[in-house]
Amino acid sequence: MISCDVLVIGAGPAGLCAAISAAEAGASVVILERSFRPGGQLVKQTHMFFGSERQYASVRGIDIPEKLLSQLESFGSKVKLLCSCTVCGIYEDGVVTALLNGTEYLKLKPRATVVATGAAERALAFSGCDLPGIYGAGAVQTLMNVHGVRPGRRVVMVGAGNIGLIVSYQLLQAGVEVACVLDAAPRIGGYLVHAAKLRRMGVPILTSHSVTRAFGHESLEAVEVAELDAKFAPIAGTERRIDCDVCCISVGLTPLTELLSMAGAALRYIPRLGGFVAKRDERYETTVKSVFTAGDASCIEEASAAMVEGRLAGLFAAETAGFCHENYSELKADCENQLALLRGGDTGKHIVAGLQDLAKED
Amino acid sequence: MDLRIAQHPILDFGEPTAIRFNFDGRELVGREGDSIAAALHANGVMVLAHSSELDRPRGFYCAIGNCSSCMMEVDGVPNVKTCVTLLKEGMRVRSQLRGRGAL
C-alpha cells in the first residue's frame, strides 16, 4: 500500500497544476498517468495560447508541460509521477488501485484525490463510421504533432469548432490536403481567426453539411456528404462523394467521469459542460468526501482554464489532507479571478451557465 | 507513400533512433518515442485488428487510450492499447485474433 497526502489522476494541464499547488502547500503528491508521457493533450498543441500571460498566452501548448514538470521537479521526492499507469478503481474506503506497465498492481491510500482525467472525443454514427481512416481530430493531431506522422493523403474534416479548424490548419502545415471542413450547424463554431486562415489557404468550409456514409473495404476510400435542413436531416439530392483516405471527426468532447461514477459521485447531465459531470461544491469536492475533480473531466473548456482549475483543486485537496497553503487566500482569489476573466467573453458564457446549472440542479 | 513528416514549419522531429519491431511476421522500423500505433501507421498499416462479431476492420480512433479500437497482441499479451504503449526494440506485435484470441 502506497500512502500519500494527495493523489492526482491524470498528468494533463489540470492534473499537473493540481500537483503543483498541493506540493507547494507541503503535501506529498503522487500523479498517475495512463499514457507513457505526461502533458495530456498539451503535447500536441502547436498553436499559441490565448488568454493572459498567467496561462502561458503566446506560448505554444507543446512547450507548457516542460515548464510545469520543472516546477514539480523542484519538490524532489515529495512528488512522484508514474506514467504508463492506469487507475482501475476508487473504492469506498478511499483506496485507489492502478496497473503499472500492464504488469504491476498498485494500491494507494491517499488522504485526498484529484480526478483530472480529461475528456474523450465523441464519435459520430453513420454508415461505415468504424472504418480505419476515420479518426478523432485530436488523434490525428497527436499522430502528426507528437509522432511526426501524416494521417494520409487527403482529409475531410467533420466539425468547424476550434479543434476542427486548428487541426485542419495543422494538416496543411504537415503537407496533407484538406478537401473540405463540414459543420452540421448553420454557422462556424470556432474562432473566426482560425477559419480565416483556412479560407486563405483555399479550404472550403461547408456549414449545414455533414458526412452521411463512408466507403472503403479495409480502410477509408471516400465519404458521402450532404447538405442538412434546419432539423439537421440530410436533404435528398444534395449527396456527393468526396475521395479521401482520412476523415477526421471533431464533434465535441465528453468528460471522462468513469472513475468518479465508480467512486459513487453524483453525476448530472449538463450539455453545456459536455455531458455527464460530477456534482461538486465551491471547493471542487464531489459528493464523495475527499474526492475532487477539475479540468475537462468536470467541464469541457480550454487548457488555460483547466490549468487554473487544477491549481485550485490542488489547493483544496491539500487543505483536506491537512496542508494549508501559506498563501491560500491570495492564491484562491487570484485563480478565481483568472477563471472569471477566461470565462468572461462570449465563448465563456455557456461554461458559466453550465456551472450554474450544475450548482442548482438536484 | 511515405507518411513521415520531413519538413514542418514549427516542429523539428530531428533524427530519432530507429526501433526495429515485428508486425505479423514482417520486420518494420519505427522511431524512438513512437507509440506502437503511430509506428504502424507510418509504415502504412491502418488495420490493427478485426471486430469479434462482424469481422469489421479496426483502426485507432482516439489515440489517448480510451476507445479500445487499437487493441493488439504485443509480446504475447492480448488487448494492449497500442496508441498509448511505447514502441520498444524487438517488440512482436500481432493483429488481434478476430476476437477469438486467448484472453
Side-chain angles (χ1 to χ4, degrees), chain B residues 59-95:
Chain B
F60 71 87
Y61 182 78
C62 75
I64 59 166
N66 202 62
C67 73
S68 305
S69 189
C70 68
M71 294 202 298
M72 301 177 79
E73 185 185 305
V74 178
D75 290 335
V77 179
N79 299 331
V80 172
K81 290 179 175 178
T82 55
C83 73
V84 284
T85 304
L86 189 64
L87 182 74
K88 291 192 180 131
E89 182 73 28
M91 256 180 179
R92 302 188 74 79
V93 181
R94 293 175 68 196
S95 303

Side-chain angles (χ1 to χ4, degrees), chain B residues 25-48:
Chain B
R26 290 159 62 193
E27 291 298 325
L28 300 180
V29 180
R31 288 181 178 178
E32 191 169 18
D34 277 351
S35 65
I36 297 170
L40 286 169
H41 198 95
N43 279 280
V45 178
M46 278 74 180
V47 181
L48 308 179

Side-chain angles (χ1 to χ4, degrees), chain A residues 54-108:
Chain A
R54 307 293 305 281
Q55 302 97 37
Y56 303 103
S58 301
V59 175
R60 296 185 195 279
I62 46 172
D63 297 326
I64 296 175
E66 202 179 315
K67 293 177 189 291
L68 301 178
L69 290 167
S70 75
Q71 284 186 60
L72 284 173
E73 271 167 26
S74 67
F75 298 105
S77 60
K78 288 279 271 189
V79 177
K80 283 193 185 68
L81 167 64
L82 297 177
C83 289
S84 298
C85 188
T86 304
V87 173
C88 314
I90 302 177
Y91 294 83
E92 289 150 340
D93 54 1
V95 169
V96 174
T97 56
L99 192 64
L100 179 63
N101 293 319
T103 51
E104 195 182 337
Y105 192 60
L106 307 179
K107 278 168 86 177
L108 300 100

Side-chain angles (χ1 to χ4, degrees), chain A residues 174-232:
Chain A
V176 181
E177 185 185 353
V178 180
C180 57
V181 179
L182 314 174
D183 202 301
R187 63 183 72 84
I188 293 166
Y191 296 139
L192 291 180
V193 59
H194 297 312
K197 278 161 93 175
L198 282 177
R199 284 196 161 139
R200 279 200 296 274
M201 302 286 282
V203 176
I205 302 176
L206 307 176
T207 52
S208 295
H209 276 75
S210 195
V211 58
T212 45
R213 274 177 85 178
F215 304 98
H217 294 284
E218 284 293 280
S219 64
L220 187 68
E221 289 160 26
V223 293
E224 180 189 82
V225 307
E227 194 176 339
L228 306 180
D229 65 19
K231 290 180 177 169
F232 298 103

Side-chain angles (χ1 to χ4, degrees), chain A residues 136-201:
Chain A
V140 161
Q141 201 182 19
T142 303
L143 191 69
M144 287 192 298
N145 297 348
V146 175
H147 299 293
V149 177
R150 285 177 289 145
R153 173 183 56 83
R154 189 165 202 254
V155 175
V156 168
M157 175 68 67
V158 182
N162 279 327
I163 295 178
L165 296 175
I166 289 172
V167 175
S168 294
Y169 189 70
Q170 292 175 357
L171 280 159
L172 299 175
Q173 287 181 320
V176 181
E177 185 185 353
V178 180
C180 57
V181 179
L182 314 174
D183 202 301
R187 63 183 72 84
I188 293 166
Y191 296 139
L192 291 180
V193 59
H194 297 312
K197 278 161 93 175
L198 282 177
R199 284 196 161 139
R200 279 200 296 274
M201 302 286 282

Side-chain angles (χ1 to χ4, degrees), chain A residues 23 46-47 52-53 65 85 93 96-97 109 118 128 135 137 147-148 151 166 169 239 250 268 272 284 294 317 362:
Chain A
T46 51
H47 63 283
S52 80
E53 209 177 303
C85 188
D93 54 1
V96 174
T97 56
K109 184 72 201 276
Y135 304 131
H147 299 293
I166 289 172
Y169 189 70
E239 303 89 354
S250 177
R268 294 288 177 270
R272 285 183 169 118
Y284 294 176
D362 231 340

Side-chain angles (χ1 to χ4, degrees), chain A residues 255 257 261 264-280 287 297-298 354 357-362:
Chain A
T257 52
S261 173
L267 302 183
R268 294 288 177 270
Y269 187 72
I270 311 287
R272 285 183 169 118
L273 301 183
F276 280 100
V277 289
K279 268 193 83 68
R280 56 177 191 177
T287 56
S298 58
D357 289 348
L358 181 64
K360 73 179 174 214
E361 193 180 322
D362 231 340

